[in-house]
């Protein structure tokens, strides 16, 4: 995003955003949410985990409305709904690699985080689609209902014909064509085309497509196609989305109004309050205080959905360019700080090993073991 702002119209003006880059960015956004959809685990959203996740998200929504009202009243933000909704998001796609990289996690920490973060990805995406639909109702509402119906039908067909999809996987996935991967990418390109024609929400479309791929694929094949799509997305398509988004940010507004810079850390703290406080209070019996603090920091990590909301809301005239830039900058700050702080907090909650308790280092290769 910084690179996009630097080379874009408000930086060195080396390139401007035209139809080609707009479509490339749309493909990258769809890929971003497709990868996030692959990470959604419906089996974790049942019973008590689902109740806790819903309670936490609705509590976040209530706090978000209060914070957004304050921002509209005292900080000059224009759209209460968009600001409040942006505060309730969680970057599930960013958190999953972070969880895999951590060497120590308390029991049930990952499952709890995935359940609450999934609601922070799915619920705001659906509600944002409804907000955009309200701007062009009834045409947009008809499109949204049709898209939902097709998605449900697709899920039923995928589950019914899963054996055929598995057979296709077995015969083609390890060959040079990698047909299943191409089919998924082709479906995403089709969504980009439909977005140009009928204005479907690519964030919601990407999530649904990722969920369809996950539900229609056995675990062993899911890992294979997930690795290929993740590599394609993280190395190529998703960075293009962030670069083009950076080119569209109103960075001059921040440079010309130093008071806006103070809103960036303030908004980041508001995101921590809105997404972190509910899980901190709700899970006091399930996790230790340090683990709850780390979970609050992780759950408040935001960026992809905030960027998507800011870009689409600005294009629809629902958000001013300075407001969109401040929201995105605050979300970027949460990605830079909160996961790293959560990792440090969890390390402090890690049980000490025998070597650490005795103050001795474990013997190296070929060294005799000394009795304690």
């Amino acid at each position: 995003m910084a690179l996009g702002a630097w080379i874009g119209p408000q930086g060195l003006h080396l390139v401007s955003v035209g139809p080609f880059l707009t479509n490339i960015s749309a493909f990258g956004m769809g890929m971003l949410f497709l990868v996030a959809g692959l990470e959604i685990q419906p089996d974790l959203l049942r019973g008590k985990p689902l109740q806790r996740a819903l309670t936490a998200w609705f509590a976040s929504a209530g706090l978000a409305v209060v914070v957004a009202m304050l921002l509209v009243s005292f900080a000059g933000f224009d759209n209460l709904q968009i600001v409040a909704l942006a505060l309730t998001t969680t970057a599930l796609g960013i958190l999953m690699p972070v969880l895999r990289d951590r060497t120590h996690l308390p029991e049930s920490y990952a499952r709890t985080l995935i359940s609450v973060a999934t609601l922070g990805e799915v619920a705001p995406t659906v509600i944002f689609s409804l907000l955009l639909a309200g701007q062009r109702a009834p045409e947009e509402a008809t499109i949204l209902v049709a898209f939902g119906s097709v998605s449900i039908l697709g899920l039923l067909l995928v589950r019914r014909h899963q054996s055929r999809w598995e057979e296709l996987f077995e015969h083609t996935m390890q060959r040079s064509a990698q047909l299943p991967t191409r089919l998924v990418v082709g479906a995403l390109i089709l969504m980009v085309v439909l977005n140009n024609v009928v204005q479907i929400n690519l964030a919601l479309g990407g999530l649904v497509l990722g969920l369809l791929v996950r539900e229609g694929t056995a675990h062993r094949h899911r890992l294979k196609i997930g690795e290929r799509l993740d590599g394609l997305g993280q190395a190529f398509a998703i960075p293009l989305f962030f670069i083009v988004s950076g080119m569209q940010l109103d960075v001059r507004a921040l440079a010309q109004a130093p008071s806006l810079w103070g809103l960036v850390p303030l908004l980041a703290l508001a995101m921590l309050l809105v997404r972190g406080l509910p899980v901190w209070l709700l899970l006091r019996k399930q996790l230790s205080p340090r683990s709850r603090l780390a979970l609050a920091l992780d759950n408040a990590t935001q960026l992809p959905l905030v960027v998507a909301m800011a870009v689409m809301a600005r294009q629809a005239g629902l958000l001013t360019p300075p407001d969109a830039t401040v929201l995105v900058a605050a979300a970027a700050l949460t990605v830079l700080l909160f996961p790293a702080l959560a990792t440090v907090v969890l390390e402090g909650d890690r049980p000490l090993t025998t070597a650490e308790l005795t103050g001795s280092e474990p013997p190296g290769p070929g060294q005799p073991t000394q009795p304690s």
Side-chain angles (χ1 to χ4, degrees):
M1 289 181 63
L3 174 63
W6 182 52
I7 67 176
Q10 299 197 39
L12 298 179
H13 206 173
L14 300 178
V15 63
S16 58
V17 181
F20 176 75
L21 284 182
T22 299
N23 286 320
I24 289 293
S25 175
F27 177 77
M29 182 173 69
M31 180 63 74
L32 174 68
F33 287 95
L34 187 154
V35 173
L38 286 172
E39 302 287 359
I40 293 175
Q41 301 181 27
D43 56 321
L44 295 183
L45 293 175
R46 297 174 181 173
K48 289 186 177 180
L50 176 59
Q51 294 176 5
R52 285 197 295 263
L54 286 171
T55 302
W57 190 84
F58 279 111
S60 291
L63 284 173
V65 171
V66 175
V67 172
M69 291 175 63
L70 294 175
L71 291 172
V72 169
S73 300
F74 299 104
F77 281 85
D78 290 334
N79 195 306
L80 185 147
Q81 294 174 317
I82 300 297
V83 173
L85 197 57
L87 294 175
T88 64
T89 65
T90 299
L92 178 63
I94 290 177
L95 291 174
M96 292 306 295
V98 173
L99 287 176
R100 289 194 290 266
D101 289 342
R102 286 175 180 164
T103 57
H104 167 73
L105 287 175
E107 185 180 358
S108 76
Y109 183 93
R111 294 173 62 88
T112 303
L113 177 59
I114 291 172
S115 64
V116 295
T118 297
L119 262 293
E121 190 95 57
V122 175
T125 302
V126 174
I127 296 174
F128 183 67
S129 300
L130 295 174
L131 285 178
L132 288 183
Q135 302 301 309
R136 290 175 39 192
E139 294 87 355
E140 190 73 16
T142 302
I143 294 171
L144 190 62
V145 171
F147 179 76
S149 302
V150 171
S151 300
I152 295 173
L153 178 61
L155 182 60
L156 295 175
L157 290 175
V158 160
R159 288 184 172 178
R160 182 173 182 178
H161 300 285
Q162 185 175 6
S163 59
R164 296 182 181 180
W165 178 249
E166 293 294 331
E167 184 178 353
L168 179 66
F169 247 105
E170 294 287 356
H171 287 87
T172 64
M173 195 61 191
Q174 298 303 329
R175 298 181 182 179
S176 59
Q178 296 191 15
L179 184 59
T181 306
R182 293 188 177 187
L183 289 174
V184 175
V185 173
L188 185 57
I189 292 174
L190 178 60
M191 283 192 179
V192 174
V193 174
L194 290 175
N195 178 61
N196 288 331
V197 177
V198 295
Q199 294 294 312
I200 67 170
N201 190 314
L202 277 174
L204 182 60
L207 273 179
V208 170
L209 183 57
L211 187 59
L212 287 176
V213 174
R214 178 183 179 87
E215 289 299 298
T217 310
H219 181 71
R220 65 186 188 280
H221 293 148
R222 189 186 306 152
L223 293 176
K224 292 179 182 178
I225 195 171
E227 289 173 354
R228 285 160 174 77
L229 291 172
D230 189 65
L232 173 64
Q234 302 294 352
F236 175 67
I238 296 173
L240 287 177
F241 163 65
F242 283 112
I243 289 173
V244 177
S245 298
M247 293 169 60
Q248 297 174 311
L249 292 180
D250 190 6
V251 292
R252 289 182 181 175
L254 290 181
Q256 296 172 359
S259 60
L260 292 178
W261 284 104
L263 290 177
V264 174
L266 182 64
L267 265 175
L269 289 175
M271 292 170 177
L272 178 59
L273 172 69
V274 168
R275 295 299 288 146
L277 183 60
V279 295
W280 164 265
L281 296 174
L282 191 64
L283 299 170
R284 58 187 180 276
K285 295 182 179 179
Q286 284 77 31
L287 296 171
S288 67
R290 294 184 71 96
S291 296
R292 283 188 289 141
L293 177 58
L295 188 70
L297 289 165
D298 279 336
N299 198 42
T301 301
Q302 306 181 9
L303 185 62
L305 189 50
V306 174
V307 174
M309 285 183 179
V311 170
M312 289 188 284
R314 190 177 62 82
Q315 292 172 347
L318 301 177
L319 207 61
T320 63
D323 289 354
T325 302
V326 171
L327 275 175
V328 171
L333 187 61
T334 67
V335 171
L336 290 174
L337 295 180
F338 292 170
L341 290 174
T343 301
V344 173
V345 172
L346 287 175
E347 282 296 317
D349 203 32
R350 176 175 59 88
L352 297 177
T353 62
T354 303
E356 290 171 332
L357 288 171
T358 59
S360 61
E361 294 293 332
Q367 297 179 353
T369 303
Q370 300 294 334
S372 299

